[in-house]
C-alpha cells in the first residue's frame, strides 16, 4: 500500500461501521480476558490459541494471518534467546552475572534496588534479550534466599519496559513506529512532522517517565506484589537432608576466601559442619575461617543446595577417587536419587564394599534413612532397604534403571548438572556479540549511511546463529537448547499476535479508534483545548489497545491513524506520533501488552489481576505525565 492511500484509509476508518467480523473478534478478545480474570489456573497459551483458531475457522481472518506469529521474527528471536540464555546458564556465566547483580543483596528490597540498573541498559539493548538473560538470575537468587520469584520478576519486566523508551532502539515498538513513519514520509507531499523518530528524540519524554516509573516501583512493588509462597515448593524437596563431603581442588576460586565471603553460609538449608585439613579438624566452622586447597568440607543440607555446591568450580564431591574433575566430563554427570529395594544385592554392605560404580556406573554421594541424615563417613555406612541414595551419575542412569528391581524409585534432581566453566567466556562473548549485532542493526535501520547487508540483517537469524555457535563450541548440548525454549510463552505471544491481526483486518480496532476520535471532535470545548484533548484521546486509545492487543499491532494501526487525525484537525502530526510511540511501548496493566510481561508470567506465578494491581496505577500515572510533557515539548 502506498503512503497516500494509507492516509486515506486511516481517515476513512474513523467513520467505518463495525462489521460482523469485528463483533466476533471483540467477543473473542472479551471472552479470553474474562476467562483469564476469573479462572486462576486457566491455560493462557491454550486460550489464545483457541481464540485465534476459532476466528480463522469462522473466516474472520485468514489462516495465514492468524498463525503468522509462529513464523514471525519476534517469536523466533525470543525462542533463540531462551536457548542462548541456557548457554550462559550451563557454562556458569549466569552465575557470575548473578553474583555481580544480586549476590550482595541481603533481602528483597536490596535486590529490587539493584535491579534498577536494568532500565539504563534497556535503553540500548532490546527488552526481550535482557529479560531472557536476567530472569534465571533473579529466580536463582530468590531460591537461595527463600524469596518467592513473584516479588521480583514483574519489576524486572517493568524496568526493562521503562528503559526501552529512553532511546528509539530500546524497544521493538518504536522501531515498528519508525518503519511506519518511513513509509508515510515517502509520499511526495508528506507533511512536516511525519519523519522517523530520532535516536534521542524520544529521550526528552522517555527519561523522565523511566525515572518516575522506577520511583513508583520502589515505593509500591513491595506492597502490591503477590507473595506466591507456593512457588517455593518448586525449588525442590526441602525435607530430605544429606551429609556430603566436598573436596576443594587447587583450581577452586574459593581458596583464600573466608567461609562467609565464599557465600557458603547463605545457601538455604545448608550447614557447613566441619573442615578436615590433614591432621586438623575445624569444628564448629566460623564465618571467618579461610578455605584452603585440598580441604575436605563436610556439609549437611537438602538436595537442591547440594546441587548448588556442584555448580561451584573446583569444588567436587568426594564420591570416590575416580570422580571426573575435567569440565567436559563433569557436565555429562548429574545428581539422581534412588531408593534401595528389599531385593537389592547391596543390602547389608557398606558403601565402600558395594562397588556401586562398577555395578551401576554411578557414585554414592550421600545417604538418607527414615527421615534422618546419617552422620557417619560415607564409606562406612551400611546400607539398608529403603535407604535413599544421592548419586553422582550420567544422564542416562534414570532411564536405564527406572525398572530395575534393585530400586523402588529412581529420579533425577532437576538442573543438577555441573557447569561447563571452561566455556563461560565463549558463551559470554557470543551473547555479547549478539547484543552488539542487535544494537548495530537497530542503528543501521535508522539511516541510509550504513552498508546494505547490515541494514537488512535479521535479528532472529543472528540469534539462531549464536545458538548454533554455542552448541558447536560445546557451551550447551542440542537437548539443552531444545529444553530451554518455553513453548507456553511462544504460543501465547504468537496467539496474541494473531488476535491483533484479526482486530486489525476485521476493522474492530479502527472502529474503536474512529469512535473515540469522533467523540472528541464533537465535544463542546474551547478551541485552544482541542489539540490537548485530542492528544489525550490518541494516547489513551493507544494505551488501552496496547493492553488488549500487542504493542506491535497497536503501533501498526495507530501511527497512520494519528497522522490523519492530526492533519484533519490542522495540527502538527509530531506530538501525536510521539504519543502513539510512547503509549504503545509502556504496557503494564495486562500480561499480553508486552512480550516481557508474558515471559515472566509463568515463572512468577502471576495472574492477570496481579498486573492490573501493580501496573494499572503505574500506567495511569505515566499517561498523565506523558501527555503533559509531549504537549509541551512538541508543539501542535
Amino acid at each position: 500500500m502506498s503512503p497516500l492511500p494509507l492516509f486515506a484509509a486511516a481517515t476513512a476508518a474513523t467513520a467505518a461501521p463495525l462489521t460482523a467480523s469485528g463483533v466476533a473478534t471483540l467477543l473473542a478478545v472479551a471472552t479470553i480476558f474474562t476467562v483469564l480474570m476469573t479462572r486462576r489456573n486457566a491455560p493462557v497459551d491454550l486460550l489464545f490459541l483457541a481464540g485465534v483458531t476459532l476466528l480463522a475457522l469462522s473466516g474472520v481472518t485468514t489462516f495465514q494471518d492468524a498463525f503468522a506469529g509462529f513464523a514471525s521474527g519476534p517469536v523466533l528471536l525470543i525462542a533463540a534467546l531462551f536457548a542462548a540464555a541456557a548457554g550462559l546458564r550451563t557454562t556458569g556465566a549466569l552465575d557470575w552475572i548473578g553474583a555481580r547483580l544480586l549476590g550482595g543483596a541481603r533481602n528483597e528490597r536490596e535486590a529490587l534496588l539493584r535491579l534498577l540498573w536494568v532500565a539504563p541498559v534497556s535503553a540500548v539493548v532490546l527488552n526481550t534479550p535482557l529479560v531472557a538473560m536476567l530472569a534465571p538470575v533473579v529466580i536463582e537468587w530468590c531460591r537461595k534466599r527463600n524469596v518467592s520469584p513473584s516479588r521480583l520478576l514483574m519489576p524486572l519486566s517493568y524496568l526493562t519496559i521503562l528503559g526501552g523508551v529512553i532511546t528509539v532502539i530500546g524497544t521493538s515498538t518504536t522501531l515498528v513506529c519508525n518503519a511506519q513513519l518511513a513509509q508515510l514520509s515517502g509520499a511526495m507531499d508528506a507533511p512536516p512532522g511525519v519523519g522517523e523518530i530520532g535516536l534521542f528524540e524520544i529521550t526528552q519524554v522517555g527519561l523522565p517517565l523511566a525515572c518516575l516509573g522506577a520511583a513508583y516501583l520502589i515505593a509500591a512493588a513491595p506492597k502490591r506484589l503477590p507473595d506466591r509462597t507456593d512457588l517455593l515448593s518448586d525449588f525442590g524437596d526441602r525435607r530430605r537432608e544429606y551429609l556430603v563431603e566436598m573436596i576443594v581442588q587447587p583450581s577452586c576460586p574459593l581458596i583464600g576466601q573466608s567461609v562467609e565471603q565464599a557465600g557458603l553460609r547463605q545457601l538455604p538449608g545448608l550447614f557447613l559442619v566441619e573442615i578436615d585439613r590433614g591432621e586438623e579438624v575445624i569444628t564448629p566452622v566460623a564465618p571467618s575461617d579461610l578455605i584452603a586447597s585440598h580441604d575436605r568440607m563436610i556439609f549437611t543440607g537438602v538436595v537442591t543446595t547440594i546441587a548448588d555446591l556442584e555448580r561451584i568450580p573446583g569444588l567436587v564431591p568426594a564420591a570416590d577417587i575416580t570422580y571426573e574433575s575435567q569440565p567436559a566430563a563433569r557436565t555429562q554427570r548429574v545428581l539422581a536419587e534412588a531408593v534401595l529395594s528389599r531385593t537389592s544385592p547391596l543390602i547389608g554392605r557398606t558403601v565402600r564394599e558395594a562397588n556401586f560404580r562398577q555395578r551401576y556406573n554411578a557414585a554414592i554421594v550421600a545417604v538418607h534413612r527414615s527421615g534422618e541424615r546419617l552422620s557417619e563417613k560415607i564409606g562406612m555406612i551400611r546400607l539398608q532397604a529403603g535407604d535413599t541414595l544421592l548419586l553422582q551419575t550420567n544422564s542416562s542412569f534414570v532411564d536405564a534403571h527406572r525398572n530395575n528391581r534393585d530400586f523402588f524409585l529412581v529420579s533425577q534432581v532437576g538442573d543438577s548438572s555441573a557447569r561447563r566453566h571452561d566455556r563461560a567466556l565463549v558463551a559470554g562473548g557470543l551473547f555479547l556479540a549478539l547484543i552488539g549485532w542487535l544494537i548495530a542493526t537497530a542503528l543501521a535501520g535508522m539511516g541510509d549511511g550504513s552498508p546494505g547487508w547490515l541494514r537488512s540483517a535479521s535479528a532472529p537469524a543472528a540469534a539462531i546463529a549464536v545458538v548454533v555457535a554455542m552448541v558447536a563450541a560445546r557451551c550447551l548440548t542440542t537437548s539443552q537448547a531444545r529444553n530451554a525454549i518455553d513453548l507456553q510463552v511462544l504460543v501465547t505471544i504468537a496467539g496474541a499476535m494473531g488476535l491483533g491481526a484479526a482486530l486489525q483486518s476485521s476493522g474492530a480496532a479502527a472502529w474503536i479508534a474512529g469512535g473515540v476520535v469522533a467523540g472528541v471532535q464533537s465535544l463542546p470545548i474551547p478551541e485552544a483545548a482541542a489539540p490537548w484533548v485530542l492528544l489525550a484521546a490518541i494516547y489513551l486509545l493507544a494505551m488501552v489497545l496496547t493492553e488488549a492487543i500487542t504493542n506491535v499491532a497497536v503501533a501498526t494501526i495507530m501511527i497512520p491513524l494519528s497522522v490523519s487525525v492530526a492533519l484533519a484537525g490542522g495540527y502538527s502530526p509530531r506530538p501525536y506520533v510521539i504519543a502513539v510511540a510512547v503509549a504503545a511501548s509502556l504496557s503494564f496493566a495486562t500480561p499480553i501488552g508486552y512480550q516481557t510481561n508474558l515471559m515472566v508470567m509463568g515463572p512468577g506465578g502471576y495472574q492477570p489481576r496481579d498486573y492490573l494491581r501493580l501496573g494499572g496505577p503505574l500506567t495511569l500515572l505515566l499517561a498523565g505525565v506523558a501527555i503533559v510533557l509531549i504537549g509541551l515539548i512538541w508543539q501542535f
Side-chain angles (χ1 to χ4, degrees):
M1 182 180 288
S2 65
L4 287 175
L6 271 175
F7 289 134
T11 305
T14 61
L18 184 63
T19 63
S21 296
V23 172
T25 305
L26 291 177
L27 285 175
V29 174
T31 301
I32 291 172
F33 267 86
T34 302
V35 174
L36 286 175
M37 297 294 284
T38 57
R39 298 290 298 274
R40 178 174 179 176
N41 297 320
V44 181
D45 52 340
L46 183 60
L47 279 175
F48 277 95
L49 188 61
V52 76
T53 301
L54 287 175
L55 291 177
L57 289 173
S58 60
V60 172
T61 183
T62 65
F63 281 95
Q64 290 80 2
D65 291 340
F67 300 106
F70 289 92
S72 68
V75 171
L76 294 176
L77 176 60
I78 292 172
L81 289 171
F82 275 130
L88 296 177
R89 184 168 58 252
T90 57
T91 59
L94 272 186
D95 298 332
W96 182 87
I97 294 172
R100 298 301 180 274
L101 174 62
L102 296 174
R106 293 167 295 181
N107 52 52
E108 175 191 318
R109 184 165 184 81
E110 288 188 13
L112 180 59
L113 291 173
R114 283 173 171 261
L115 283 177
L116 292 179
W117 75 269
V118 171
V121 174
S122 181
V124 293
V125 178
L126 288 176
N127 313 42
T128 305
L130 261 187
V131 173
M133 181 177 69
L134 294 180
V137 173
V138 173
I139 292 171
E140 184 69 9
W141 183 90
C142 289
R143 188 183 66 79
K144 291 180 178 179
R145 300 301 189 281
N146 200 26
V147 174
S148 173
S150 64
R151 304 292 292 172
L152 291 175
L153 284 178
M154 192 181 293
L156 171 65
S157 175
Y158 284 3
L159 286 168
T160 59
I161 294 172
L162 289 168
V165 294
I166 295 178
T167 70
V168 81
I169 64 171
T171 171
S172 59
T173 311
T174 48
L175 297 178
V176 171
C177 289
N178 266 353
Q180 285 284 85
L181 291 169
Q183 186 178 11
L184 292 171
S185 61
M188 291 293 293
D189 58 346
V194 185
E196 296 183 43
I197 303 171
L199 177 60
F200 297 110
E201 182 182 3
I202 202 172
T203 308
Q204 301 173 80
V205 64
L207 184 57
L209 293 179
C211 294
L212 180 61
Y216 168 85
L217 289 176
I218 293 174
K223 301 175 183 177
R224 292 183 169 270
L225 279 172
D227 189 3
R228 301 275 191 263
T229 53
D230 53 324
L231 290 175
L232 297 175
S233 62
D234 295 338
F235 292 159
D237 193 336
R238 296 176 176 270
R239 293 171 298 172
R240 288 193 300 277
E241 290 191 357
Y242 296 94
L243 193 78
V244 296
E245 185 176 357
M246 309 292 288
I247 299 177
V248 180
Q249 295 185 323
S251 60
C252 183
L254 304 183
I255 294 174
Q257 298 183 22
S258 68
V259 172
E260 187 169 17
Q261 290 172 336
L264 298 181
R265 297 184 65 87
Q266 300 172 354
L267 297 174
L270 182 76
F271 181 71
L272 180 54
V273 179
E274 68 179 49
I275 298 177
D276 293 348
R277 187 174 294 162
E279 300 296 327
E280 179 185 8
V281 177
I282 303 174
T283 184
V285 179
S288 58
D289 287 332
L290 300 181
I291 300 171
S293 178
H294 302 296
D295 278 352
R296 302 177 78 89
M297 311 180 78
I298 313 300
F299 293 92
T300 177
V302 296
V303 65
T304 49
T305 45
I306 293 172
D308 290 334
L309 295 176
E310 279 278 284
R311 302 188 188 108
I312 301 176
L315 192 64
V316 299
D320 59 30
I321 59 173
T322 60
Y323 178 81
E324 288 91 340
S325 60
Q326 296 299 316
R330 288 194 68 194
T331 56
Q332 303 302 316
R333 303 184 69 78
V334 298
L335 289 179
E337 291 181 296
V339 181
L340 289 179
S341 69
R342 294 185 178 88
T343 59
S344 172
L346 307 179
I347 302 300
R349 300 187 181 187
T350 65
V351 171
R352 185 169 296 167
E353 297 168 348
N355 294 323
F356 202 89
R357 177 180 287 278
Q358 286 72 26
R359 288 176 181 269
Y360 305 105
N361 190 27
I364 300 176
V365 176
V367 180
H368 178 89
R369 177 177 297 163
S370 301
E372 299 178 357
R373 61 174 182 268
L374 303 182
S375 57
E376 299 98 324
K377 295 291 185 181
I378 184 68
M380 304 303 296
I381 297 175
R382 195 166 296 277
L383 300 174
Q384 299 179 10
D387 283 352
T388 301
L389 310 181
L390 182 63
L391 306 174
Q392 185 71 232
T393 182
N394 57 45
S395 56
S396 62
F397 178 87
V398 174
D399 292 333
H401 297 283
R402 191 182 302 276
N403 298 315
N404 191 329
R405 293 187 176 183
D406 295 351
F407 307 106
F408 281 135
L409 181 67
V410 178
S411 64
Q412 182 175 325
V413 177
D415 193 25
S416 60
S417 59
R419 300 301 194 227
R420 186 68 188 269
H421 294 285
D422 61 324
R423 290 289 183 269
L425 288 178
V426 177
L430 286 170
F431 197 88
L432 287 176
L434 173 59
I435 297 299
W437 188 275
L438 294 177
I439 295 174
T441 51
L443 291 172
M446 295 164 51
D448 299 324
S450 301
W453 63 269
L454 181 59
R455 297 186 65 208
S456 62
S458 169
I464 293 171
V466 165
V467 174
V468 172
M470 283 186 174
V471 173
R474 299 183 303 238
C475 297
L476 77 166
T477 64
T478 52
S479 61
Q480 288 172 329
R482 291 192 204 99
N483 294 335
I485 298 174
D486 193 331
L487 287 179
Q488 183 181 25
V489 170
L490 298 183
V491 171
T492 303
I493 294 174
M497 294 176 69
L499 283 178
L503 283 165
Q504 186 176 7
S505 61
S506 67
W511 175 80
I512 296 173
V516 171
V517 172
V520 170
Q521 293 175 337
S522 64
L523 291 175
I525 54 177
E527 185 177 349
W532 286 94
V533 175
L534 195 58
L535 177 66
I538 290 292
Y539 187 100
L540 295 174
L541 179 59
M543 180 187 76
V544 171
L545 289 179
T546 298
E547 303 292 0
I549 319 173
T550 61
N551 51 346
V552 173
V554 171
T556 305
I557 298 168
M558 289 297 297
I559 284 293
L561 182 62
S562 64
V563 171
S564 295
V565 168
L567 295 178
Y571 308 120
S572 169
R574 204 59 177 173
Y576 301 96
V577 165
I578 298 295
V580 171
V582 173
S585 300
L586 300 178
S587 173
F588 306 105
T590 66
I592 69 168
Y594 205 92
Q595 55 216 25
T596 58
N597 288 339
L598 284 170
M599 292 171 67
V600 301
M601 187 175 181
Y606 296 120
Q607 301 298 322
R609 58 179 171 270
D610 297 327
Y611 291 87
L612 186 61
R613 178 175 170 80
L614 178 64
L618 176 60
T619 301
L620 295 176
L621 173 65
L622 297 183
V625 176
I627 291 168
V628 173
L629 288 178
I630 293 171
L632 293 175
I633 296 171
W634 290 273
Q635 299 299 314
F636 298 106

